[in-house]
Amino acid sequence: MENEERILDAALEEFSVHGFRGATIDRIAEHAGMSKPNLLYYFRRKQDIYEALIARLLDKWLEPLQELDAVGDPLPELQSYIRRKLEMARDFPRESRLFANEILQGAPRIKRLLESELKPLVEEKAEVLRGWMKQGKINPVDPRHLIFSIWSTTQHYADFDVQVQVILGPDSGAAGRFEDAARYLETLFLDGLRPQGNAEEQVQTRDQ
């Protein structure tokens, strides 16, 4: 198990930089600090390494969505979800780039995983969002497109981090950059989803 983890950690670096086609077994073995024959004892093909890495990545990527709790208060639940997605963008940029590159290529190696794991989870959480909407706790929107929007806006800060840094300038450190992004996205999504009555109540509470 320990050697498999070493291989997958080395493969993450290789695949995130060179992509599936550009990555080589030899360089993965070199990064892992083991011989090629030793590596092939654990994984027979580059494809096997890649699929194991993506499966591990998908498990991690789905954790924040899995934690969206149907019995919780919708706006704090969504606020927490946005925060967790931004934290992943900050802490796992290589994983984010690897996943994005695979999707941009049409997901040829992980489509089965998307269909068997991602799609059912999204449908499950879309039902949670629909339930909150029917109860009048959040404004009615297409729940799947809401999830897509949160994905795209949060992951932007991993996949386009260099661009973000250039535009914001050298004085914008990582901690401040992600905190500013979190506050902006919370305002964008939560104010748009908050029913008008709740917004008026909040204003009254602030004024007291």
Side-chain angles (χ1 to χ4, degrees), residues 40-78:
L40 293 174
Y41 172 79
Y42 296 96
F43 296 97
R44 294 173 54 194
R45 305 175 301 159
K46 182 171 71 171
Q47 173 85 12
D48 296 334
I49 302 174
Y50 188 85
E51 289 183 356
L53 182 61
I54 288 290
R56 184 178 73 170
L57 170 58
L58 193 58
D59 286 342
K60 183 183 296 292
W61 232 238
L62 295 182
E63 282 177 9
L65 187 57
Q66 288 169 336
E67 293 175 6
L68 195 67
D69 189 354
V71 301
D73 192 357
L75 293 176
E77 283 294 322
L78 288 165

Side-chain angles (χ1 to χ4, degrees), residues 61-184:
W61 232 238
L62 295 182
E63 282 177 9
L65 187 57
Q66 288 169 336
E67 293 175 6
L68 195 67
D69 189 354
V71 301
D73 192 357
L75 293 176
E77 283 294 322
L78 288 165
Q79 180 182 29
S80 179
Y81 180 51
I82 291 166
R83 286 271 174 173
R84 289 195 296 267
K85 289 296 292 180
L86 271 174
E87 288 168 1
M88 294 195 68
R90 179 194 65 202
D91 298 338
F92 304 103
R94 294 182 305 170
E95 289 87 341
S96 180
R97 287 195 301 270
L98 176 64
F99 189 73
N101 286 335
E102 174 67 16
I103 297 299
L104 287 171
Q105 294 171 27
R109 289 162 287 271
I110 67 166
K111 193 170 183 180
R112 176 179 51 81
L113 284 174
L114 298 182
E115 291 172 344
S116 64
E117 296 187 31
L118 180 60
K119 189 176 188 299
L121 179 61
V122 170
E123 293 299 337
E124 174 190 333
K125 298 305 179 180
E127 279 302 309
V128 171
L129 293 166
R130 289 188 188 100
W132 288 337
M133 293 170 199
K134 289 177 182 177
Q135 296 170 44
K137 294 181 176 180
I138 57 175
N139 287 329
V141 296
D142 186 306
R144 291 170 298 181
H145 286 289
L146 173 59
I147 293 170
F148 295 159
S149 296
I150 294 174
W151 288 351
S152 61
T153 50
T154 53
Q155 196 162 334
H156 176 89
Y157 292 92
D159 300 341
F160 293 89
D161 186 51
V162 173
Q163 174 179 273
V164 171
Q165 289 186 57
V166 168
I167 293 173
L168 293 181
D171 295 332
S172 177
R177 186 164 68 251
F178 280 92
E179 181 58 32
D180 289 346
R183 287 197 297 265
Y184 166 73

